[in-house]
Amino acid sequence: DFRLSQIAVIGQSVFGLEVYKELRKEGHTIVGVFTIPDKDGKADPLGAEAEKDGVNVFKFPRWRLKGKGIPEVVQVYKATGAELNVMPFCSQFIPMEVIDHPAHGSIIYHPSLLPRHRGASAINWTLIHGDKKGGFTVFWADDGLDTGPILLQRECDVEPDDTVNTIYKRFLFPEGVKGTVDAVRLIAAGNAPKIVQPEEGATYEGIQKKDNAKIDWNQSAQALHNWIRGNDKVPGAWAEVDGQKVTFYGSSLLDSGATAIGQPLEIPGASQPGLVTKAGLMLFGNDGKTLLVKNLQFKDGKMIAAARYFSSGSSASVELTEEEKAFAEQMRGVWKSILTNVDAIEDSTDFFKSGAASMDVVRLVEEVKLRASGCQLQNEDVYMNTTFQDFIQMCVRKLRGEDDEEELVVDYKNINNMTIRMPHQLFINGEFVDAEGGKTYKTINPTDGTAICDVSLAQASDVDRAVAAAKEAFEEGEWGKINPRDRGRLLYKLADLMEEHQEELATIESMDSGAVYTLALKTHVGMSIQTFRYFAGWCDKIQGCTIPINQARPNRNLTFTKKEPIGVCAIVIPWNYPLMMLAWKTAACLAAGNTVVLKPAQVTPLTAVKFAELAARAGFPKGVINILPGSGALVGQRLSDHPDVRKLGFTGSTEIGKHIMKSCAVSNVKKVSLELGGKSPLIIFSDCDMDKAVRMGMSAVFFNKGENCIAAGRLFVEENIHDQYVKRVVEEVKKMKIGDPLDRSTDHGPQNHKAHLDKLVEYCQTGVREGATLVCGGKQVSRPGFFFEPTIFTDVQDHMFIAIEESFGPVMILSKFKSGDVDEVLRRANATEYGLASGVFTRDISKALYVSEKLNAGTVFVNTYNKTDVAAPFGGFKQSGFGKDLGQEALNEYLKTKAVTVEY
């Protein structure tokens, strides 16, 4: 039995509370809880919980006087009969006679990897020193010097922009609770080590206090960043600016060479003036490198966005409507219920100067949500609007949708006669961040083979961070609580922003993927916008049903089903329609209420990260959408294997789809939907409309340079019109203009990337070797870039490689079939392991319906082709995968059905 029967918990705060709860869950007996006295009439969370459980709670103001234990206090403690002291978050000095008294001794939690950073400000100094590793120690308590023997340690990577708050929330708190309980488990089992702390590497810098937190500007940007984040939120790094003390919060390092437009701000002692930009306050180290600070706080406690430094006092008040006045009075009552010591809430009443604490901020945010679900507040909003008048003005602006959009730091480029914003980093938890180790790669413009920009290359740890952010957003964040109509409102807003930026998106798409600009504008971007609008309308229409069931009489049972979101979903998309494939899956995923981690194709990441910027501007809560450019072998594999991912949607090759499906099964049996390869047959009968069959046949093959999952991979033409049909399509191919995709007159742009171009050259060489007739094309265009000639093969026999395998390029594969032999051509058309799409051209309605019934494919086009719509389900049969994109059926891919039976 590895349970202890006599544990005293000595500590405080929510951390102490969680350790206490876990110890009780493990079956240990708590004989006493010793915590701090009530503050302003409020009990510490640890003490409050223990009192509810009927555990003896003691609230001594102090344990010792002049270095010696207070006899009365020590006697009360000893009377509990504790065999072990667990000190999870202990801020009081405990006398050694208490520490040494239990049979098993005393253990204490410390937020550093001892012996480094002994003392009370350990987390601060971990960040200030720029340590790459952080963590915590559970050690055998000594006389308060943090020098006792080590029992257990856990370490984590310190991220480049970690603050005390982020590293505490991400690792030190959750893992610290587990580690402390693990330490007790080791003691109970008799396996707890006592490792003497070495003196080598030991540090002690002292407690970080406000007076000591002044910024020394004669340092590198990295050192300044470390100092500011190491003091964020307490005590706060500060400097003299314009004759007053200003505290800096929310620091992040910028890429070397980052430039911005802004208003200079003189800062005494700095190597050069700061720059107030739309993104925040840009600061300069003595090495010329830069950092960005998001928020500033003045001596009176007022906090502002750093971007508003020169306009913080100039914003005009908005006049309230009668409904808004009623809301303001409701909130006045909420403030009064929180600030019980204030006689009346005036417009000038300051929330914090009137006694509010951090827990009151959480309560105020929740109270606003209850009264105005459209007002999505963050705790930061309260800190930045501390008077009642400012608070109400801020709430009203948010309700009206007039709140200033947060500007994300991205680059600008002048392309296609417009200035476009070019995000290029990972997007995790609402921020653009570098990949672990600053790893990057170059994304290539297929028009000329030159690099567009460096893009962050996600690592396994970045996947873990993104999944953790998505999980927290789903389980703990606002997204999991938002009502369906507000969810739809955000999707509509995102679609509006995409439409507002459609030319910019189309330019990025054309430059990164080689898509002709006019096609990118109409289809790549246009259908993406339609998809988000379509699924936005589904958000509040997801319904279960009631079901009559048979049970023994009296049959008083109600059974109903609920459609619920799955949780964290991973989405892996291909390179042929980078934005549209993102939209097809992500819109349904978000409409169903899930959070998402999306990996764009490594060769076409730019519209995905641009999409992330627009989603942030639309107001999606942090963590709901995460974008990770990177390799499929690393990022895609980690998403397939990750135990916290509950659904994976993939579009790509059949080979990779099989591997993903296997990984998803082995990891945690996560739900999977796959849209895989195709070799879509198009049957053209002699009774067709020839003009239409030629026009649509060209589109079926050459649309989007043939990089189209439903492209007609093989055309079967009835023999009596075969030669005429070939002659017509050759004439049309010769009219196609090959060139720069940004040129509005271009018909045919470059292939997506060089490896694919090389594959197409090899594909056509194989066709020639096998005896097919190469009518035209079949080779690379003699010009810079990855251009490939539109190609036509005839005399293709069923056994040939090009008859069986997909080219995924501008290659038309033509085969004859005997006149009138409908069943034989159907047999040949279906003689493939793929079943994504298919088509038939005939004026005979009976023949059309018969053929469409017999074709074994998820989509059948009759007298048209490529006519997909957001309302029509899309997906394949056989080795073309399973599951649907688009239409109502796509929602089911991102929902789980729960049956509930009630007896009454």
Side-chain angles (χ1 to χ4, degrees):
D1 185 0
F2 298 127
R3 290 176 292 182
L4 294 173
S5 58
Q6 306 275 51
I7 294 179
V9 177
I10 305 173
Q12 66 195 75
S13 83
V14 177
F15 185 90
L17 163 65
E18 291 301 317
V19 170
Y20 162 82
K21 286 162 63 176
E22 290 301 315
L23 290 174
R24 281 175 58 87
K25 277 186 194 174
E26 293 256 316
H28 304 296
T29 302
I30 312 299
V31 294
V33 165
F34 297 83
T35 189
I36 57 174
D38 295 355
K39 185 177 181 181
D40 297 328
K42 294 180 182 177
D44 181 82
L46 169 60
E49 183 74 14
E51 284 175 341
K52 283 196 293 185
D53 293 336
V55 174
N56 290 324
V57 176
F58 307 93
K59 304 177 182 180
F60 300 127
R62 62 179 65 181
W63 288 71
R64 64 183 193 178
L65 197 58
K66 296 181 179 180
K68 295 185 177 180
I70 300 172
E72 297 84 3
V73 173
V74 173
Q75 192 59 41
V76 169
Y77 160 76
K78 288 183 176 180
T80 63
E83 297 176 345
L84 172 69
N85 293 332
V86 178
M87 304 160 72
F89 195 95
C90 183
S91 62
Q92 297 175 310
F93 288 101
I94 310 300
M96 288 304 295
E97 57 193 298
V98 171
I99 287 174
D100 292 338
H101 177 75
H104 294 294
S106 301
I107 60 170
I108 187 166
Y109 167 90
H110 187 77
S112 84
L113 295 173
L114 291 172
R116 188 160 172 76
H117 304 310
R118 293 170 176 167
S121 295
I123 315 175
N124 303 72
W125 290 109
T126 296
L127 298 171
I128 290 168
H129 281 279
D131 292 353
K132 300 298 183 186
K133 294 288 184 182
F136 64 86
T137 304
V138 178
F139 71 100
W140 298 94
D142 56 359
D143 57 0
L145 300 177
D146 305 337
T147 56
I150 294 169
L151 192 163
L152 174 150
Q153 287 187 321
R154 300 274 190 272
E155 72 172 30
C156 67
D157 292 330
V158 178
E159 304 296 343
D161 290 335
D162 262 333
T163 63
V164 172
N165 189 44
T166 62
I167 196 171
Y168 182 68
K169 284 178 65 178
R170 185 182 79 250
F171 186 83
L172 296 178
F173 183 103
E175 295 302 319
V177 171
K178 293 178 188 173
T180 305
V181 175
D182 286 345
V184 174
R185 195 178 292 136
L186 288 171
I187 293 169
N191 297 326
K194 290 189 176 182
I195 303 166
V196 176
Q197 284 194 41
E199 283 302 312
E200 185 179 352
T203 59
Y204 179 84
E205 291 89 356
I207 297 174
Q208 272 302 92
K209 296 181 179 178
K210 193 71 175 180
D211 291 344
N212 301 332
K214 186 174 181 180
I215 299 171
D216 173 10
W217 293 107
N218 189 26
Q219 301 181 83
S220 67
Q222 178 72 64
L224 291 173
H225 167 62
N226 288 343
W227 184 259
I228 293 170
R229 69 184 181 131
N231 286 281
D232 186 343
K233 294 284 186 182
V234 177
W238 61 275
E240 294 281 346
V241 182
D242 286 338
Q244 60 179 322
K245 185 184 285 189
V246 177
T247 304
F248 297 72
Y249 296 112
S251 172
S252 58
L253 279 173
L254 296 178
D255 290 340
S256 60
T259 58
I261 299 171
Q263 192 169 348
L265 176 64
E266 291 292 336
I267 300 175
S271 59
Q272 63 185 93
L275 205 59
V276 177
T277 72
K278 287 184 177 181
L281 174 59
M282 183 181 283
L283 301 169
F284 298 84
N286 61 11
D287 55 356
K289 295 183 178 180
T290 53
L291 60 148
L292 189 78
V293 168
K294 287 293 184 71
N295 299 317
L296 303 173
Q297 188 173 40
F298 300 103
K299 192 173 182 179
D300 63 0
K302 172 75 172 178
M303 186 181 283
I304 65 165
R308 299 179 184 171
Y309 183 84
F310 290 112
S311 58
S312 59
S314 61
S315 57
S317 297
V318 297
E319 188 170 342
L320 306 189
T321 64
E322 291 303 316
E323 186 177 354
E324 290 164 349
K325 287 177 183 177
F327 168 75
E329 289 309 305
Q330 288 181 11
M331 295 316 302
R332 200 182 297 273
V334 170
W335 277 49
K336 184 69 183 76
S337 68
I338 295 173
L339 306 175
T340 54
N341 58 326
V342 177
D343 293 332
I345 305 298
E346 308 291 345
D347 285 352
S348 59
T349 300
D350 188 283
F351 193 65
F352 297 101
K353 289 181 180 177
S354 301
S358 58
M359 282 302 296
D360 298 315
V361 173
V362 176
R363 176 183 166 186
L364 181 57
V365 169
E366 292 301 316
E367 294 276 12
V368 171
K369 291 174 187 173
L370 287 172
R371 289 161 177 78
S373 60
C375 185
Q376 305 298 321
L377 286 194
Q378 304 295 326
N379 293 357
E380 207 72 24
D381 293 321
V382 181
Y383 287 108
M384 297 174 72
N385 297 276
T386 59
T387 67
F388 183 74
Q389 182 178 31
D390 288 346
F391 175 79
I392 291 299
Q393 290 282 312
M394 176 268 298
C395 288
V396 168
R397 283 194 297 271
K398 282 183 175 289
L399 283 167
R400 295 180 181 182
E402 297 171 358
D403 54 312
D404 292 340
E405 296 166 345
E406 181 181 354
E407 291 285 346
L408 297 164
V409 182
V410 296
D411 293 338
Y412 292 79
K413 289 184 184 291
N414 289 308
I415 300 167
N416 200 20
N417 298 318
M418 68 183 80
T419 300
I420 63 171
R421 295 163 62 98
M422 293 283 290
H424 55 86
Q425 294 166 287
L426 315 181
F427 188 74
I428 299 175
N429 204 27
E431 294 182 316
F432 285 116
V433 295
D434 288 336
E436 181 195 3
K439 288 185 171 60
T440 62
Y441 71 99
K442 295 186 185 302
T443 186
I444 303 300
N445 186 337
T447 301
D448 57 14
T450 62
I452 301 170
C453 64
D454 289 333
V455 179
S456 293
L457 181 68
Q459 303 300 299
S461 61
D462 299 313
V463 178
D464 294 342
R465 276 198 297 155
V467 172
K471 184 179 181 184
E472 182 176 3
F474 180 77
E475 294 180 354
E476 307 294 338
E478 177 61 28
W479 187 249
K481 303 166 190 170
I482 193 172
N483 70 60
R485 283 184 191 164
D486 285 337
R487 194 162 69 232
R489 180 181 59 81
L490 283 173
L491 287 170
Y492 277 123
K493 188 172 182 181
L494 175 55
D496 290 344
L497 279 169
M498 291 172 71
E499 186 169 52
E500 182 183 331
H501 292 265
Q502 60 184 332
E503 290 87 1
E504 192 177 0
L505 285 165
T507 299
I508 297 171
E509 187 91 332
S510 183
M511 187 170 52
D512 204 22
S513 76
V516 171
Y517 175 77
T518 49
L519 176 66
L521 190 62
K522 177 181 181 294
T523 302
H524 290 234
V525 179
M527 193 173 188
S528 299
I529 295 166
Q530 291 177 32
T531 302
F532 274 97
R533 288 204 172 117
Y534 174 81
F535 283 107
W538 270 111
C539 289
D540 62 353
K541 300 171 186 69
I542 298 170
Q543 301 174 351
C545 61
T546 58
I547 303 169
I549 62 171
N550 285 334
Q551 293 290 343
R553 293 171 184 266
N555 184 7
R556 296 213 303 265
N557 295 283
L558 170 65
T559 296
F560 59 92
T561 59
K562 297 175 66 181
K563 298 283 189 178
E564 297 180 348
I566 293 170
V568 179
C569 295
I571 291 173
V572 180
I573 57 173
W575 42 258
N576 58 327
Y577 293 100
L579 184 64
M580 196 172 78
M581 291 297 98
L582 176 153
W584 281 22
K585 296 186 190 301
T586 305
C589 176
L590 295 174
N594 302 286
T595 56
V596 64
V597 180
L598 181 138
K599 191 201 89 67
Q602 186 171 351
V603 292
T604 53
L606 293 181
T607 42
V609 284
K610 178 64 183 180
F611 167 82
E613 179 202 334
L614 298 180
R617 293 178 61 187
F620 278 80
K622 292 182 178 182
V624 173
I625 296 170
N626 304 273
I627 308 291
L628 300 178
S631 77
L634 195 155
V635 178
Q637 186 64 55
R638 180 61 184 143
L639 288 169
S640 301
D641 293 336
H642 204 293
D644 290 331
V645 173
R646 295 295 171 186
K647 159 73 201 281
L648 191 144
F650 172 76
T651 294
S653 73
T654 298
E655 180 186 3
I656 300 299
K658 290 177 179 179
H659 182 77
I660 282 175
M661 190 173 175
K662 182 178 179 180
S663 296
C664 290
V666 171
S667 59
N668 62 346
V669 199
K670 58 175 63 71
K671 189 175 182 181
V672 185
S673 58
L674 303 172
E675 193 241 289
L676 307 175
K679 187 68 173 173
S680 302
L682 173 57
I683 304 172
I684 300 174
F685 289 98
S686 57
D687 61 356
C688 68
D689 178 333
M690 179 62 81
D691 290 340
K692 190 174 187 182
V694 170
R695 186 176 69 253
M696 298 304 295
M698 290 283 293
S699 173
V701 175
F702 300 115
F703 189 81
N704 198 48
K705 309 162 291 169
E707 295 169 353
N708 187 18
C709 53
I710 59 171
R714 191 177 180 193
L715 277 67
F716 295 92
V717 183
E718 201 160 4
E719 60 183 2
N720 55 338
I721 64 165
H722 175 272
D723 293 348
Q724 179 190 0
Y725 188 84
V726 172
K727 181 173 180 283
R728 292 281 304 272
V729 295
V730 170
E731 289 171 354
E732 294 302 316
V733 163
K734 288 178 179 178
K735 296 176 186 177
M736 293 174 68
K737 180 182 175 183
I738 302 172
D740 183 351
L742 291 176
D743 185 332
R744 290 356 182 226
S745 64
T746 294
D747 299 306
H748 188 81
Q751 303 308 135
N752 189 278
H753 52 281
K754 188 174 186 306
H756 183 53
L757 172 68
D758 294 343
K759 179 186 169 187
L760 287 173
V761 172
E762 184 181 347
Y763 183 92
C764 290
Q765 291 171 347
T766 301
V768 171
R769 281 197 306 270
E770 288 188 319
T773 301
L774 178 62
V775 178
C776 61
K779 59 183 184 297
Q780 183 176 355
V781 179
S782 180
R783 60 172 290 167
F786 310 141
F787 292 86
F788 188 78
E789 294 178 343
T791 300
I792 297 176
F793 275 104
T794 60
D795 302 317
V796 179
Q797 305 304 309
D798 293 356
H799 68 275
M800 292 180 180
F801 176 84
I802 61 173
I804 298 168
E805 294 300 325
E806 181 180 27
S807 72
F808 211 66
V811 183
M812 180 178 283
I813 307 294
L814 286 153
S815 299
K816 295 179 185 178
F817 69 92
K818 292 180 180 179
S819 296
D821 200 342
V822 176
D823 289 328
E824 175 62 13
V825 75
L826 278 170
R827 182 194 64 75
R828 294 172 68 192
N830 285 328
T832 172
E833 273 300 300
Y834 300 114
L836 188 57
S838 58
V840 55
F841 277 82
T842 176
R843 285 191 173 100
D844 184 335
I845 187 64
S846 298
K847 189 191 297 179
L849 291 174
Y850 177 78
V851 170
S852 64
E853 178 186 329
K854 296 297 182 179
L855 282 170
N856 196 5
T859 297
V860 181
F861 297 108
V862 179
N863 293 328
T864 187
Y865 210 90
N866 283 328
K867 191 166 282 185
T868 53
D869 187 85
V870 295
F874 180 91
F877 298 163
K878 299 186 288 188
Q879 290 194 42
S880 287
F882 53 85
K884 296 294 182 184
D885 291 323
L886 304 179
Q888 183 180 357
E889 286 191 44
L891 286 168
N892 293 328
E893 304 297 331
Y894 297 94
L895 291 165
K896 58 189 180 188
T897 302
K898 178 184 288 182
V900 181
T901 297
V902 182
E903 185 170 293
Y904 57 92

